[in-house]
Amino acid sequence: MPSLPEPASTAGLPAHLGPRADEQLRLPEEVQHALLQVAHRRQLQRGDSLFLKGSSPDALFGMVQGALRVSVAAPDGREAVIAVLEPGHWFGEVSLFVGQERVYDTCAVEPSEVAVVQAADFHHLIATQPVLHMAFTRLVCLRLRQALAWIDDAILQPLPVRLAHRLMTLDSRPAGDGASTVLAVSQEDLAFMLGVSRQSINRQLKQWEEEGVLRVGYRVVELLDRDRLARCAQPG
């Protein structure tokens, strides 16, 4: 793959966005390298919006540091949280591919840093480097499979299985890594993700906390026994 000149604005950027994203959803190292060579960085404070539903598809984004909440709002003001993006995630490619407005909101839940690839640069890379085109095609297909699996869970599985599965999905450490993981997600976020009440989430989290599976903090959940939580995520 031909190398791209590195603009001065990328000085200090990491060679890739780090290991925290789900390994299946990680872009190959050479793809991340090509994207970061044409990217600039944007800093967000807690509560800042990266983009809102209805905005134009002007860039691709990669999480470098922090966490972003992805959500949609109903006409009555209720918010449904779709995901919490942590370092390693690239996102926004679907709107760029189809040339249509964004369909969700993104908001920083803590101070964050985002790599921004302008739409023109993204389309140039896709057109001139087939390996990038295939990498993003694979990424979109994997996300579709993940979305369909979440729909199945929402219809067929009881709350403890669905909640454990969602926590494991948000946990970006490799399987077999025994270290605890702190997830930047609140009980309200989990309730919106699963379409249940906050009280139902709280009851299940408290039960797991008493059993030593996890620890609940302010807008965070620390996973202590990931192997046991993984077993809870298995359908009965």
Side-chain angles (χ1 to χ4, degrees):
M1 180 179 66
S3 60
L4 298 173
E6 182 172 0
S9 63
T10 64
L13 275 170
H16 57 82
L17 295 191
R20 298 189 66 182
D22 184 321
E23 285 299 316
Q24 277 197 318
L25 300 179
R26 278 180 54 81
L27 291 172
E29 298 296 333
E30 64 270 23
V31 171
Q32 294 201 61
H33 179 70
L35 293 169
L36 287 169
Q37 284 189 314
V38 298
H40 68 272
R41 287 175 287 181
R42 180 174 172 183
Q43 305 293 328
L44 299 172
Q45 299 303 312
R46 180 178 175 182
D48 288 349
S49 294
L50 179 63
F51 60 78
L52 298 175
K53 180 179 179 180
S55 60
S56 61
D58 57 357
L60 175 79
F61 305 98
M63 286 299 300
V64 179
Q65 293 180 338
L68 286 179
R69 185 177 71 244
V70 181
S71 63
V72 294
D76 62 5
R78 290 180 301 161
E79 182 186 39
V81 178
I82 301 171
V84 176
L85 303 179
E86 295 188 312
H89 285 277
W90 288 90
F91 59 99
E93 72 284 346
V94 172
S95 292
L96 289 174
F97 275 127
V98 301
Q100 296 181 6
E101 63 188 23
R102 307 289 186 184
V103 295
Y104 52 81
D105 301 329
T106 59
C107 177
V109 298
E110 59 185 65
S112 302
E113 181 178 329
V114 180
V116 182
V117 178
Q118 295 300 322
D121 292 325
F122 175 76
H123 288 302
H124 175 75
L125 289 172
I126 290 295
T128 59
Q129 300 193 31
V131 66
L132 270 88
H133 200 160
M134 287 303 300
F136 276 98
T137 300
R138 179 178 182 275
L139 181 63
V140 171
C141 290
L142 286 171
R143 285 180 173 157
L144 175 59
R145 285 173 59 93
Q146 187 179 68
L148 292 174
W150 286 348
I151 292 171
D152 287 343
D153 283 347
I155 296 172
L156 300 174
Q157 301 302 328
L159 176 59
V161 174
R162 293 162 55 200
L163 179 55
H165 184 267
R166 182 52 61 96
L167 291 171
M168 294 300 297
T169 301
L170 294 172
D171 180 10
S172 52
R173 289 183 180 272
D177 185 341
S180 65
T181 304
V182 178
L183 305 178
V185 60
S186 69
Q187 295 183 50
E188 289 84 359
D189 290 340
L190 292 168
F192 283 129
M193 288 180 187
L194 298 179
V196 298
S197 69
R198 182 190 178 281
Q199 290 76 14
S200 297
I201 295 294
N202 180 262
R203 281 195 298 270
Q204 186 59 55
L205 291 178
K206 288 300 183 183
Q207 179 180 330
W208 283 336
E209 189 170 44
E210 292 171 1
E211 296 170 356
V213 176
L214 50 77
R215 181 181 298 117
V216 180
Y218 177 67
R219 301 191 67 83
V220 298
V221 176
E222 182 180 4
L223 307 186
L224 302 176
D225 190 338
R226 297 161 69 212
D227 290 339
R228 185 169 178 183
L229 186 65
R231 291 194 296 271
C232 294
Q234 297 301 314

